[in-house]
Amino acid sequence: MGDHRRVVLKMSGEALASASSEEALDAVVVERFAREISEARTELDIQLAVVVGGGNIWRGTIGAGAGMDRATSDTMGMLATVINALALQDALEQHGQDTRVLTAISMAEVAEPYIRRRAIRHLEKDRVVLLAAGMGNPFFTTDTSAALRAAEIEADLLYKGTHGGVDGVYSADPRLDPNATRFDEISFMDIVAKDLRVMDLTAITFCKDNGLPIRVFDLMPEGNLRRALSGEQIGTLVR
Ligand code: UDP
C-alpha cells in the first residue's frame, strides 16, 4: 500500500467501557487506545480518521424497544458518540497527537462540523480526525457511517475493531460453535451469502459496491490496535 496510507478506524463504543466497573467510559482503556494509536503513528506514516460508536452510552434500539420514537432515540445515540469522541480527543492530545473532532450534527461550540474537504485537509496536516455523530441521520449505525466516510475521504482501508472477543470473521459464531474457523481473507460476496455477522449489512454492501476493503480485528488485547494500524495482517481481510 506504500507510504501515506489513509485509513479509517471504526471503534465500537463498548470497547471504551470498563470491564471492571459500571462506568460507560473507562479512562484507562481510553488512554491505552490513545497510546497505541500514537505508537502506530510514530512507527508509520498513516493518515487516520476514527469513527467512534456510542453503544456504551446509548443505542437507538434501546429507546425504540421501550416505545420511544426511533428517530429521537437514534439522535440520542449519535450524541453519545460525541461524548466518546471528546474522551478520545483528550487522551490522544495527552499523547501529543494533534486531533480534531468533526461532528455530523453541528454543535459549533464543541467541535467543527463535518465537511469532507476539511476532514481531508486535517489528515494532510497530520491530525487525527475523530468523526462523531455518525452520519447525522437516524436509522443508521456508526459501522455504516465509517464505511461512508472512508469512501468519501478516499481511504485505502476500513479497520473494524471489535470488542466482543471475536478476533475476525469466522465460518460460524465461535462463541457457539467450537468448530468455527477464522478466515484470513474472505470476499464480500461470501459474507453476504453465508450471512456472517461482521458489520451490519448496509455497511458491508456499501463497502462492496465501493471496493473498500475492511480489516476486522479484535481491539481489546493489548497491542492489537497498534499492530493492526501498523499493517500487520491480524484478524480477517474482507475484500
Ligand atoms: N446512530 C444513528 N445514525 C448514525 C450513526 C449512529 O442514528 O449515522 C445512532 C444509532 O441509534 C446507534 C447509536 O447512534 O445505535 C450508537 O451507534 P452504534 O450503535 O453504531 O455504536 P457502536 O455499536 O459502534 O458502539
PDB file of all heavy atoms in Angstrom, residues 60-99:
ATOM      1  N   GLY A  60     -29.900   3.458  19.635  1.00  0.00           N
ATOM      2  CA  GLY A  60     -31.245   3.817  19.189  1.00  0.00           C
ATOM      3  C   GLY A  60     -32.272   2.742  19.483  1.00  0.00           C
ATOM      4  O   GLY A  60     -33.415   3.033  19.865  1.00  0.00           O
ATOM      5  N   THR A  61     -31.856   1.496  19.339  1.00  0.00           N
ATOM      6  CA  THR A  61     -32.817   0.407  19.522  1.00  0.00           C
ATOM      7  C   THR A  61     -33.260   0.254  20.980  1.00  0.00           C
ATOM      8  O   THR A  61     -34.324  -0.304  21.233  1.00  0.00           O
ATOM      9  CB  THR A  61     -32.202  -0.925  19.037  1.00  0.00           C
ATOM     10  OG1 THR A  61     -30.897  -1.051  19.601  1.00  0.00           O
ATOM     11  CG2 THR A  61     -32.091  -0.963  17.520  1.00  0.00           C
ATOM     12  N   ILE A  62     -32.464   0.764  21.919  1.00  0.00           N
ATOM     13  CA  ILE A  62     -32.872   0.657  23.335  1.00  0.00           C
ATOM     14  C   ILE A  62     -34.160   1.454  23.545  1.00  0.00           C
ATOM     15  O   ILE A  62     -35.146   0.952  24.076  1.00  0.00           O
ATOM     16  CB  ILE A  62     -31.785   1.211  24.305  1.00  0.00           C
ATOM     17  CG1 ILE A  62     -30.458   0.470  24.124  1.00  0.00           C
ATOM     18  CG2 ILE A  62     -32.261   1.131  25.750  1.00  0.00           C
ATOM     19  CD1 ILE A  62     -29.316   1.074  24.951  1.00  0.00           C
ATOM     20  N   GLY A  63     -34.132   2.713  23.105  1.00  0.00           N
ATOM     21  CA  GLY A  63     -35.300   3.570  23.281  1.00  0.00           C
ATOM     22  C   GLY A  63     -36.472   3.101  22.446  1.00  0.00           C
ATOM     23  O   GLY A  63     -37.612   3.053  22.911  1.00  0.00           O
ATOM     24  N   ALA A  64     -36.153   2.727  21.196  1.00  0.00           N
ATOM     25  CA  ALA A  64     -37.230   2.288  20.296  1.00  0.00           C
ATOM     26  C   ALA A  64     -37.921   1.048  20.879  1.00  0.00           C
ATOM     27  O   ALA A  64     -39.150   0.931  20.830  1.00  0.00           O
ATOM     28  CB  ALA A  64     -36.662   2.000  18.906  1.00  0.00           C
ATOM     29  N   GLY A  65     -37.124   0.172  21.483  1.00  0.00           N
ATOM     30  CA  GLY A  65     -37.684  -1.030  22.100  1.00  0.00           C
ATOM     31  C   GLY A  65     -38.600  -0.703  23.272  1.00  0.00           C
ATOM     32  O   GLY A  65     -39.510  -1.462  23.595  1.00  0.00           O
ATOM     33  N   ALA A  66     -38.342   0.434  23.903  1.00  0.00           N
ATOM     34  CA  ALA A  66     -39.148   0.831  25.061  1.00  0.00           C
ATOM     35  C   ALA A  66     -40.284   1.767  24.654  1.00  0.00           C
ATOM     36  O   ALA A  66     -40.909   2.393  25.507  1.00  0.00           O
ATOM     37  CB  ALA A  66     -38.253   1.497  26.098  1.00  0.00           C
ATOM     38  N   GLY A  67     -40.510   1.893  23.358  1.00  0.00           N
ATOM     39  CA  GLY A  67     -41.652   2.686  22.889  1.00  0.00           C
ATOM     40  C   GLY A  67     -41.324   4.109  22.472  1.00  0.00           C
ATOM     41  O   GLY A  67     -42.214   4.869  22.097  1.00  0.00           O
ATOM     42  N   MET A  68     -40.062   4.495  22.532  1.00  0.00           N
ATOM     43  CA  MET A  68     -39.701   5.849  22.084  1.00  0.00           C
ATOM     44  C   MET A  68     -39.776   5.941  20.572  1.00  0.00           C
ATOM     45  O   MET A  68     -39.647   4.942  19.871  1.00  0.00           O
ATOM     46  CB  MET A  68     -38.248   6.161  22.468  1.00  0.00           C
ATOM     47  CG  MET A  68     -38.043   6.778  23.817  1.00  0.00           C
ATOM     48  SD  MET A  68     -36.286   7.195  24.012  1.00  0.00           S
ATOM     49  CE  MET A  68     -36.235   8.730  23.098  1.00  0.00           C
ATOM     50  N   ASP A  69     -39.888   7.156  20.114  1.00  0.00           N
ATOM     51  CA  ASP A  69     -39.776   7.424  18.690  1.00  0.00           C
ATOM     52  C   ASP A  69     -38.356   7.050  18.244  1.00  0.00           C
ATOM     53  O   ASP A  69     -37.373   7.463  18.861  1.00  0.00           O
ATOM     54  CB  ASP A  69     -40.038   8.919  18.483  1.00  0.00           C
ATOM     55  CG  ASP A  69     -39.714   9.377  17.083  1.00  0.00           C
ATOM     56  OD1 ASP A  69     -40.244   8.781  16.139  1.00  0.00           O
ATOM     57  OD2 ASP A  69     -38.917  10.330  16.962  1.00  0.00           O
ATOM     58  N   ARG A  70     -38.260   6.260  17.190  1.00  0.00           N
ATOM     59  CA  ARG A  70     -36.958   5.732  16.767  1.00  0.00           C
ATOM     60  C   ARG A  70     -35.978   6.847  16.388  1.00  0.00           C
ATOM     61  O   ARG A  70     -34.794   6.821  16.747  1.00  0.00           O
ATOM     62  CB  ARG A  70     -37.156   4.764  15.599  1.00  0.00           C
ATOM     63  CG  ARG A  70     -35.901   4.288  14.904  1.00  0.00           C
ATOM     64  CD  ARG A  70     -35.128   3.273  15.737  1.00  0.00           C
ATOM     65  NE  ARG A  70     -33.806   3.032  15.201  1.00  0.00           N
ATOM     66  CZ  ARG A  70     -33.477   2.040  14.382  1.00  0.00           C
ATOM     67  NH1 ARG A  70     -34.385   1.174  14.012  1.00  0.00           N
ATOM     68  NH2 ARG A  70     -32.242   1.907  13.954  1.00  0.00           N
ATOM     69  N   ALA A  71     -36.471   7.825  15.654  1.00  0.00           N
ATOM     70  CA  ALA A  71     -35.570   8.892  15.196  1.00  0.00           C
ATOM     71  C   ALA A  71     -34.995   9.665  16.383  1.00  0.00           C
ATOM     72  O   ALA A  71     -33.810  10.026  16.402  1.00  0.00           O
ATOM     73  CB  ALA A  71     -36.300   9.818  14.231  1.00  0.00           C
ATOM     74  N   THR A  72     -35.834   9.907  17.387  1.00  0.00           N
ATOM     75  CA  THR A  72     -35.356  10.622  18.580  1.00  0.00           C
ATOM     76  C   THR A  72     -34.321   9.778  19.314  1.00  0.00           C
ATOM     77  O   THR A  72     -33.265  10.265  19.729  1.00  0.00           O
ATOM     78  CB  THR A  72     -36.534  10.912  19.531  1.00  0.00           C
ATOM     79  OG1 THR A  72     -37.518  11.651  18.801  1.00  0.00           O
ATOM     80  CG2 THR A  72     -36.091  11.701  20.749  1.00  0.00           C
ATOM     81  N   SER A  73     -34.633   8.515  19.446  1.00  0.00           N
ATOM     82  CA  SER A  73     -33.721   7.627  20.156  1.00  0.00           C
ATOM     83  C   SER A  73     -32.379   7.509  19.423  1.00  0.00           C
ATOM     84  O   SER A  73     -31.314   7.487  20.038  1.00  0.00           O
ATOM     85  CB  SER A  73     -34.389   6.258  20.313  1.00  0.00           C
ATOM     86  OG  SER A  73     -33.621   5.442  21.147  1.00  0.00           O
ATOM     87  N   ASP A  74     -32.434   7.455  18.098  1.00  0.00           N
ATOM     88  CA  ASP A  74     -31.203   7.399  17.315  1.00  0.00           C
ATOM     89  C   ASP A  74     -30.392   8.688  17.467  1.00  0.00           C
ATOM     90  O   ASP A  74     -29.161   8.660  17.504  1.00  0.00           O
ATOM     91  CB  ASP A  74     -31.523   7.174  15.831  1.00  0.00           C
ATOM     92  CG  ASP A  74     -31.750   5.700  15.517  1.00  0.00           C
ATOM     93  OD1 ASP A  74     -31.273   4.837  16.279  1.00  0.00           O
ATOM     94  OD2 ASP A  74     -32.390   5.415  14.493  1.00  0.00           O
ATOM     95  N   THR A  75     -31.091   9.812  17.559  1.00  0.00           N
ATOM     96  CA  THR A  75     -30.374  11.076  17.752  1.00  0.00           C
ATOM     97  C   THR A  75     -29.626  11.046  19.080  1.00  0.00           C
ATOM     98  O   THR A  75     -28.472  11.494  19.175  1.00  0.00           O
ATOM     99  CB  THR A  75     -31.360  12.265  17.709  1.00  0.00           C
ATOM    100  OG1 THR A  75     -32.022  12.230  16.451  1.00  0.00           O
ATOM    101  CG2 THR A  75     -30.637  13.594  17.865  1.00  0.00           C
ATOM    102  N   MET A  76     -30.236  10.476  20.086  1.00  0.00           N
ATOM    103  CA  MET A  76     -29.549  10.327  21.371  1.00  0.00           C
ATOM    104  C   MET A  76     -28.292   9.461  21.206  1.00  0.00           C
ATOM    105  O   MET A  76     -27.249   9.748  21.797  1.00  0.00           O
ATOM    106  CB  MET A  76     -30.494   9.687  22.406  1.00  0.00           C
ATOM    107  CG  MET A  76     -31.635  10.611  22.797  1.00  0.00           C
ATOM    108  SD  MET A  76     -32.971   9.731  23.651  1.00  0.00           S
ATOM    109  CE  MET A  76     -32.150   9.184  25.134  1.00  0.00           C
ATOM    110  N   GLY A  77     -28.403   8.428  20.383  1.00  0.00           N
ATOM    111  CA  GLY A  77     -27.244   7.570  20.120  1.00  0.00           C
ATOM    112  C   GLY A  77     -26.127   8.343  19.433  1.00  0.00           C
ATOM    113  O   GLY A  77     -24.942   8.188  19.764  1.00  0.00           O
ATOM    114  N   MET A  78     -26.501   9.183  18.504  1.00  0.00           N
ATOM    115  CA  MET A  78     -25.479   9.971  17.804  1.00  0.00           C
ATOM    116  C   MET A  78     -24.787  10.934  18.769  1.00  0.00           C
ATOM    117  O   MET A  78     -23.562  11.136  18.693  1.00  0.00           O
ATOM    118  CB  MET A  78     -26.112  10.723  16.631  1.00  0.00           C
ATOM    119  CG  MET A  78     -26.498   9.785  15.496  1.00  0.00           C
ATOM    120  SD  MET A  78     -27.030  10.633  14.014  1.00  0.00           S
ATOM    121  CE  MET A  78     -28.784  10.835  14.295  1.00  0.00           C
ATOM    122  N   LEU A  79     -25.566  11.507  19.683  1.00  0.00           N
ATOM    123  CA  LEU A  79     -24.957  12.408  20.669  1.00  0.00           C
ATOM    124  C   LEU A  79     -24.005  11.638  21.582  1.00  0.00           C
ATOM    125  O   LEU A  79     -22.957  12.158  21.989  1.00  0.00           O
ATOM    126  CB  LEU A  79     -26.042  13.128  21.483  1.00  0.00           C
ATOM    127  CG  LEU A  79     -26.906  14.088  20.664  1.00  0.00           C
ATOM    128  CD1 LEU A  79     -28.006  14.695  21.526  1.00  0.00           C
ATOM    129  CD2 LEU A  79     -26.070  15.202  20.027  1.00  0.00           C
ATOM    130  N   ALA A  80     -24.337  10.395  21.863  1.00  0.00           N
ATOM    131  CA  ALA A  80     -23.452   9.556  22.692  1.00  0.00           C
ATOM    132  C   ALA A  80     -22.072   9.416  22.038  1.00  0.00           C
ATOM    133  O   ALA A  80     -21.045   9.437  22.723  1.00  0.00           O
ATOM    134  CB  ALA A  80     -24.083   8.181  22.920  1.00  0.00           C
ATOM    135  N   THR A  81     -22.056   9.314  20.732  1.00  0.00           N
ATOM    136  CA  THR A  81     -20.757   9.162  20.049  1.00  0.00           C
ATOM    137  C   THR A  81     -19.892  10.416  20.213  1.00  0.00           C
ATOM    138  O   THR A  81     -18.662  10.331  20.187  1.00  0.00           O
ATOM    139  CB  THR A  81     -20.904   8.866  18.534  1.00  0.00           C
ATOM    140  OG1 THR A  81     -21.354  10.032  17.860  1.00  0.00           O
ATOM    141  CG2 THR A  81     -21.857   7.710  18.264  1.00  0.00           C
ATOM    142  N   VAL A  82     -20.538  11.563  20.389  1.00  0.00           N
ATOM    143  CA  VAL A  82     -19.775  12.806  20.572  1.00  0.00           C
ATOM    144  C   VAL A  82     -19.049  12.773  21.920  1.00  0.00           C
ATOM    145  O   VAL A  82     -17.886  13.175  22.032  1.00  0.00           O
ATOM    146  CB  VAL A  82     -20.699  14.044  20.476  1.00  0.00           C
ATOM    147  CG1 VAL A  82     -19.891  15.332  20.690  1.00  0.00           C
ATOM    148  CG2 VAL A  82     -21.422  14.089  19.130  1.00  0.00           C
ATOM    149  N   ILE A  83     -19.724  12.261  22.931  1.00  0.00           N
ATOM    150  CA  ILE A  83     -19.095  12.126  24.255  1.00  0.00           C
ATOM    151  C   ILE A  83     -17.848  11.249  24.130  1.00  0.00           C
ATOM    152  O   ILE A  83     -16.768  11.596  24.627  1.00  0.00           O
ATOM    153  CB  ILE A  83     -20.102  11.525  25.264  1.00  0.00           C
ATOM    154  CG1 ILE A  83     -21.259  12.494  25.485  1.00  0.00           C
ATOM    155  CG2 ILE A  83     -19.396  11.177  26.587  1.00  0.00           C
ATOM    156  CD1 ILE A  83     -22.365  11.982  26.388  1.00  0.00           C
ATOM    157  N   ASN A  84     -17.987  10.141  23.445  1.00  0.00           N
ATOM    158  CA  ASN A  84     -16.835   9.240  23.273  1.00  0.00           C
ATOM    159  C   ASN A  84     -15.710   9.906  22.482  1.00  0.00           C
ATOM    160  O   ASN A  84     -14.530   9.748  22.808  1.00  0.00           O
ATOM    161  CB  ASN A  84     -17.274   7.965  22.546  1.00  0.00           C
ATOM    162  CG  ASN A  84     -18.096   7.050  23.429  1.00  0.00           C
ATOM    163  OD1 ASN A  84     -18.000   7.110  24.649  1.00  0.00           O
ATOM    164  ND2 ASN A  84     -18.911   6.205  22.814  1.00  0.00           N
ATOM    165  N   ALA A  85     -16.076  10.645  21.449  1.00  0.00           N
ATOM    166  CA  ALA A  85     -15.056  11.302  20.631  1.00  0.00           C
ATOM    167  C   ALA A  85     -14.270  12.321  21.456  1.00  0.00           C
ATOM    168  O   ALA A  85     -13.050  12.446  21.318  1.00  0.00           O
ATOM    169  CB  ALA A  85     -15.697  11.973  19.416  1.00  0.00           C
ATOM    170  N   LEU A  86     -14.973  13.040  22.333  1.00  0.00           N
ATOM    171  CA  LEU A  86     -14.275  14.032  23.167  1.00  0.00           C
ATOM    172  C   LEU A  86     -13.318  13.353  24.144  1.00  0.00           C
ATOM    173  O   LEU A  86     -12.208  13.840  24.389  1.00  0.00           O
ATOM    174  CB  LEU A  86     -15.286  14.913  23.917  1.00  0.00           C
ATOM    175  CG  LEU A  86     -16.132  15.835  23.023  1.00  0.00           C
ATOM    176  CD1 LEU A  86     -17.148  16.600  23.856  1.00  0.00           C
ATOM    177  CD2 LEU A  86     -15.260  16.807  22.231  1.00  0.00           C
ATOM    178  N   ALA A  87     -13.739  12.202  24.669  1.00  0.00           N
ATOM    179  CA  ALA A  87     -12.859  11.455  25.576  1.00  0.00           C
ATOM    180  C   ALA A  87     -11.606  10.992  24.832  1.00  0.00           C
ATOM    181  O   ALA A  87     -10.483  11.104  25.335  1.00  0.00           O
ATOM    182  CB  ALA A  87     -13.603  10.255  26.165  1.00  0.00           C
ATOM    183  N   LEU A  88     -11.798  10.502  23.619  1.00  0.00           N
ATOM    184  CA  LEU A  88     -10.650  10.049  22.823  1.00  0.00           C
ATOM    185  C   LEU A  88      -9.746  11.210  22.442  1.00  0.00           C
ATOM    186  O   LEU A  88      -8.524  11.095  22.456  1.00  0.00           O
ATOM    187  CB  LEU A  88     -11.144   9.374  21.546  1.00  0.00           C
ATOM    188  CG  LEU A  88     -11.360   7.870  21.593  1.00  0.00           C
ATOM    189  CD1 LEU A  88     -12.015   7.411  20.296  1.00  0.00           C
ATOM    190  CD2 LEU A  88     -10.024   7.127  21.803  1.00  0.00           C
ATOM    191  N   GLN A  89     -10.357  12.332  22.102  1.00  0.00           N
ATOM    192  CA  GLN A  89      -9.559  13.505  21.742  1.00  0.00           C
ATOM    193  C   GLN A  89      -8.660  13.911  22.906  1.00  0.00           C
ATOM    194  O   GLN A  89      -7.463  14.152  22.739  1.00  0.00           O
ATOM    195  CB  GLN A  89     -10.463  14.681  21.368  1.00  0.00           C
ATOM    196  CG  GLN A  89      -9.650  15.948  21.088  1.00  0.00           C
ATOM    197  CD  GLN A  89     -10.488  17.105  20.600  1.00  0.00           C
ATOM    198  OE1 GLN A  89     -11.545  17.402  21.153  1.00  0.00           O
ATOM    199  NE2 GLN A  89     -10.031  17.751  19.549  1.00  0.00           N
ATOM    200  N   ASP A  90      -9.253  13.960  24.082  1.00  0.00           N
ATOM    201  CA  ASP A  90      -8.486  14.346  25.260  1.00  0.00           C
ATOM    202  C   ASP A  90      -7.292  13.408  25.463  1.00  0.00           C
ATOM    203  O   ASP A  90      -6.163  13.840  25.667  1.00  0.00           O
ATOM    204  CB  ASP A  90      -9.413  14.316  26.481  1.00  0.00           C
ATOM    205  CG  ASP A  90      -8.694  14.764  27.727  1.00  0.00           C
ATOM    206  OD1 ASP A  90      -8.553  15.982  27.916  1.00  0.00           O
ATOM    207  OD2 ASP A  90      -8.223  13.890  28.488  1.00  0.00           O
ATOM    208  N   ALA A  91      -7.552  12.114  25.374  1.00  0.00           N
ATOM    209  CA  ALA A  91      -6.484  11.131  25.597  1.00  0.00           C
ATOM    210  C   ALA A  91      -5.414  11.219  24.502  1.00  0.00           C
ATOM    211  O   ALA A  91      -4.215  11.138  24.774  1.00  0.00           O
ATOM    212  CB  ALA A  91      -7.080   9.726  25.655  1.00  0.00           C
ATOM    213  N   LEU A  92      -5.845  11.399  23.259  1.00  0.00           N
ATOM    214  CA  LEU A  92      -4.885  11.493  22.152  1.00  0.00           C
ATOM    215  C   LEU A  92      -4.001  12.732  22.305  1.00  0.00           C
ATOM    216  O   LEU A  92      -2.800  12.693  22.045  1.00  0.00           O
ATOM    217  CB  LEU A  92      -5.626  11.535  20.809  1.00  0.00           C
ATOM    218  CG  LEU A  92      -6.116  10.181  20.300  1.00  0.00           C
ATOM    219  CD1 LEU A  92      -7.175  10.362  19.212  1.00  0.00           C
ATOM    220  CD2 LEU A  92      -4.943   9.352  19.759  1.00  0.00           C
ATOM    221  N   GLU A  93      -4.617  13.828  22.743  1.00  0.00           N
ATOM    222  CA  GLU A  93      -3.817  15.051  22.885  1.00  0.00           C
ATOM    223  C   GLU A  93      -2.826  14.911  24.027  1.00  0.00           C
ATOM    224  O   GLU A  93      -1.708  15.430  23.958  1.00  0.00           O
ATOM    225  CB  GLU A  93      -4.732  16.263  23.006  1.00  0.00           C
ATOM    226  CG  GLU A  93      -5.503  16.394  21.685  1.00  0.00           C
ATOM    227  CD  GLU A  93      -5.949  17.781  21.315  1.00  0.00           C
ATOM    228  OE1 GLU A  93      -6.401  18.512  22.206  1.00  0.00           O
ATOM    229  OE2 GLU A  93      -5.865  18.100  20.106  1.00  0.00           O
ATOM    230  N   GLN A  94      -3.197  14.161  25.061  1.00  0.00           N
ATOM    231  CA  GLN A  94      -2.236  13.913  26.140  1.00  0.00           C
ATOM    232  C   GLN A  94      -1.061  13.076  25.635  1.00  0.00           C
ATOM    233  O   GLN A  94       0.011  13.085  26.239  1.00  0.00           O
ATOM    234  CB  GLN A  94      -2.924  13.233  27.312  1.00  0.00           C
ATOM    235  CG  GLN A  94      -3.901  14.207  27.972  1.00  0.00           C
ATOM    236  CD  GLN A  94      -4.364  13.767  29.340  1.00  0.00           C
ATOM    237  OE1 GLN A  94      -3.650  13.065  30.043  1.00  0.00           O
ATOM    238  NE2 GLN A  94      -5.558  14.198  29.715  1.00  0.00           N
ATOM    239  N   HIS A  95      -1.259  12.378  24.538  1.00  0.00           N
ATOM    240  CA  HIS A  95      -0.160  11.626  23.926  1.00  0.00           C
ATOM    241  C   HIS A  95       0.488  12.412  22.785  1.00  0.00           C
ATOM    242  O   HIS A  95       1.168  11.835  21.941  1.00  0.00           O
ATOM    243  CB  HIS A  95      -0.648  10.263  23.437  1.00  0.00           C
ATOM    244  CG  HIS A  95      -0.714   9.261  24.549  1.00  0.00           C
ATOM    245  ND1 HIS A  95       0.377   8.562  24.981  1.00  0.00           N
ATOM    246  CD2 HIS A  95      -1.734   8.904  25.355  1.00  0.00           C
ATOM    247  CE1 HIS A  95       0.032   7.786  26.005  1.00  0.00           C
ATOM    248  NE2 HIS A  95      -1.252   7.976  26.256  1.00  0.00           N
ATOM    249  N   GLY A  96       0.222  13.702  22.745  1.00  0.00           N
ATOM    250  CA  GLY A  96       0.900  14.556  21.783  1.00  0.00           C
ATOM    251  C   GLY A  96       0.335  14.480  20.375  1.00  0.00           C
ATOM    252  O   GLY A  96       0.966  14.962  19.427  1.00  0.00           O
ATOM    253  N   GLN A  97      -0.830  13.874  20.209  1.00  0.00           N
ATOM    254  CA  GLN A  97      -1.425  13.779  18.877  1.00  0.00           C
ATOM    255  C   GLN A  97      -2.343  14.977  18.651  1.00  0.00           C
ATOM    256  O   GLN A  97      -3.277  15.197  19.433  1.00  0.00           O
ATOM    257  CB  GLN A  97      -2.256  12.489  18.744  1.00  0.00           C
ATOM    258  CG  GLN A  97      -1.453  11.220  18.890  1.00  0.00           C
ATOM    259  CD  GLN A  97      -0.532  10.980  17.711  1.00  0.00           C
ATOM    260  OE1 GLN A  97      -0.943  11.066  16.564  1.00  0.00           O
ATOM    261  NE2 GLN A  97       0.719  10.700  17.992  1.00  0.00           N
ATOM    262  N   ASP A  98      -2.084  15.671  17.594  1.00  0.00           N
ATOM    263  CA  ASP A  98      -2.945  16.780  17.216  1.00  0.00           C
ATOM    264  C   ASP A  98      -4.260  16.171  16.707  1.00  0.00           C
ATOM    265  O   ASP A  98      -4.230  15.300  15.836  1.00  0.00           O
ATOM    266  CB  ASP A  98      -2.238  17.512  16.077  1.00  0.00           C
ATOM    267  CG  ASP A  98      -2.499  18.992  16.102  1.00  0.00           C
ATOM    268  OD1 ASP A  98      -3.210  19.446  17.019  1.00  0.00           O
ATOM    269  OD2 ASP A  98      -1.976  19.693  15.209  1.00  0.00           O
ATOM    270  N   THR A  99      -5.394  16.574  17.244  1.00  0.00           N
ATOM    271  CA  THR A  99      -6.660  15.954  16.805  1.00  0.00           C
ATOM    272  C   THR A  99      -7.726  17.015  16.550  1.00  0.00           C
ATOM    273  O   THR A  99      -7.685  18.116  17.089  1.00  0.00           O
ATOM    274  CB  THR A  99      -7.242  14.981  17.857  1.00  0.00           C
ATOM    275  OG1 THR A  99      -7.704  15.739  18.972  1.00  0.00           O
ATOM    276  CG2 THR A  99      -6.236  13.965  18.332  1.00  0.00           C
TER     277      THR A  99
END
